[in-house]
Amino acid sequence: MIESWRWYGPFDKITLPEIAQTGATGIVTALHEIPYGEVWPSALVASRNGEIRAAGFDWVVVESLPIHERIKRGEGDLSELFANYRQSMANLAANGVKTICYNFMPLLDWTRTDLTAPVARGGSCLRFEAAKMAAFEIHMLGRAEAEADYTPEALQMAAIWFQKASETDRDALLHAIMSGLPGAFDRYDIAGLRQALKGYEGIGRADLRANYQRFLDEVVPAAEDLGMALCVHPDDPPRDILGLPRIVSSGADITWVLNAVDSPANGLTFCTGSLGANPTNDLPALARQFADRVHFAHLRNVRKDPDGSFEEAAHLEGDTDMAAVIAALLDEQKRTGRIIPFRPDHGHELLWDAEKGTHPGYPLIGRLRGLAELRGVIAGLRHRD
């Protein structure tokens, strides 16, 4: 497997020379400075790729080439947006970058309520607290329908939290929820988020699937022609949120996606954290089931609570049998000869990570620990063969 590392380019506090010391050989990045829906210029792709190569890496995966919200909503004439997406694909392929991780989550990407939840032996992690999310939806955003999405216990705890929360606490919660958005665009305050949600009024699961089907119909043939692999990232968290449907959260959802356009170019990013937060998912079984369409892997672990809360665990310490997942991917490589890139994901902030001021979930030391642990699992599993 190709050891890779997510790098936010000019937005990242971690430098390529620092990443080189982790032992990773592949870079996962994007042109985060380009607004959603615009073409990624070939010259800028080439410049970023040249910078990566000069530092001794290969740009192995684009994460992400974002999908404009109008495509997700199926709103208006989308021909220019689809053409721009295909042109960006072509510009990437022309520069030798041929794997694209993307998601079809409405409005928000990964969502957490705490960016620095304490870890038992020191450090901090990302956490999704059901009660705090309920407090945000019901008491801050004013979405009354949200009451049906949470347990009575979570609703009670949400009311208590909101009553005790200071303005600073509420601002921190909004900041945490907005922090999953990559790049420099589409951050919202409460009023802005309410307005953005209006664009999704009346759009249910079937509607979002239909819009996703249209996207796949428009771009997968281009990926085939370019020799590219598209790989959808599962929903994070794997549940409806803010009244928005999530449609890539389970094995049944993934089956639908891969059958929507049955092509090797239409694949999956196997994220053990996102899929692992759904208590109904058996991750080793899913890895074996979909291994032939996995083009990229995010390897991290979560620890779940009965009320739907979860937090990022150390890479080998959560609810997911990481060794069994990796074994399934290694078996796929052995069977086909293709090499799957992976990256350690959402590490704990450890030691002086907090002083670095990196993107939430993407510290240096915490991910270095995760990469080292995953490297050890891979070495051990290869030794068995």
Side-chain angles (χ1 to χ4, degrees), residues 140-158:
M140 292 175 61
L141 194 61
R143 194 177 77 83
E145 300 87 348
E147 293 188 6
D149 296 340
Y150 296 91
T151 65
E153 293 78 13
L155 295 175
Q156 182 180 16
M157 293 299 295

Side-chain angles (χ1 to χ4, degrees), residues 5 14 18 22 353 356 358 362-369:
W5 190 274
I14 300 172
E18 288 173 326
T22 72
D353 270 334
K356 191 82 169 176
T358 59
Y362 292 94
L364 177 58
I365 299 169
R367 281 188 291 165
L368 175 57
R369 173 187 170 179

Side-chain angles (χ1 to χ4, degrees), residues 56-296:
F57 298 96
D58 292 320
W59 185 355
V60 292
V61 179
V62 172
E63 187 179 348
S64 298
L65 180 58
I67 300 170
H68 197 279
E69 294 299 316
R70 284 181 52 211
I71 292 176
K72 297 176 187 177
R73 294 193 299 261
E75 177 184 286
D77 182 2
L78 301 176
S79 56
E80 182 177 0
L81 287 174
F82 285 128
N84 287 355
Y85 202 94
R86 290 190 293 265
Q87 186 60 57
S88 295
M89 291 169 58
N91 292 345
L92 286 162
N95 285 281
V97 186
K98 295 196 172 185
T99 301
I100 298 174
C101 170
Y102 70 97
N103 75 73
F104 212 80
M105 290 181 265
L107 208 59
L108 300 179
D109 285 5
W110 61 264
T111 303
R112 300 292 185 273
T113 58
D114 296 273
L115 302 180
T116 55
V119 175
R121 299 186 65 186
S124 65
C125 69
L126 302 180
R127 180 170 174 81
F128 179 88
E129 186 75 39
K132 290 179 75 171
M133 194 69 205
F136 178 80
E137 293 205 53
I138 297 166
H139 301 288
M140 292 175 61
L141 194 61
R143 194 177 77 83
E145 300 87 348
E147 293 188 6
D149 296 340
Y150 296 91
T151 65
E153 293 78 13
L155 295 175
Q156 182 180 16
M157 293 299 295
I160 293 170
W161 182 88
F162 183 74
Q163 186 177 26
K164 293 181 177 180
S166 66
E167 183 175 350
T168 299
D169 294 332
R170 296 170 191 175
D171 288 345
L173 179 55
L174 174 63
H175 173 71
I177 290 169
M178 289 296 106
S179 291
L181 292 167
F185 304 97
D186 293 337
R187 298 298 193 271
Y188 304 105
D189 58 15
I190 292 293
L193 184 56
R194 287 188 186 123
Q195 185 62 37
L197 287 169
K198 288 182 180 179
Y200 280 93
E201 288 180 354
I203 296 178
R205 181 179 178 85
D207 304 296
L208 192 61
R209 269 191 169 182
N211 297 339
Y212 190 11
Q213 176 78 62
R214 182 180 177 189
F215 169 77
L216 292 172
D217 289 340
E218 291 277 356
V219 301
V220 173
E224 292 174 334
D225 292 342
L226 294 166
M228 302 188 82
L230 298 169
C231 41
V232 65
H233 188 287
D235 302 325
D236 187 8
R239 54 171 289 170
D240 293 358
I241 197 167
L242 299 176
L244 302 171
R246 295 290 181 95
I247 58 173
V248 192
S249 297
S250 66
D253 290 340
I254 295 168
T255 297
W256 180 88
V257 172
L258 301 184
N259 288 341
V261 178
D262 190 5
S263 165
N266 177 30
L268 173 66
T269 296
F270 198 89
C271 180
T272 52
S274 298
L275 293 171
N278 183 341
T280 68
N281 286 336
D282 179 339
L283 266 66
L286 293 178
R288 291 190 296 271
Q289 179 180 354
F290 300 118
D292 64 333
R293 300 284 280 275
V294 172
H295 300 312
F296 182 36

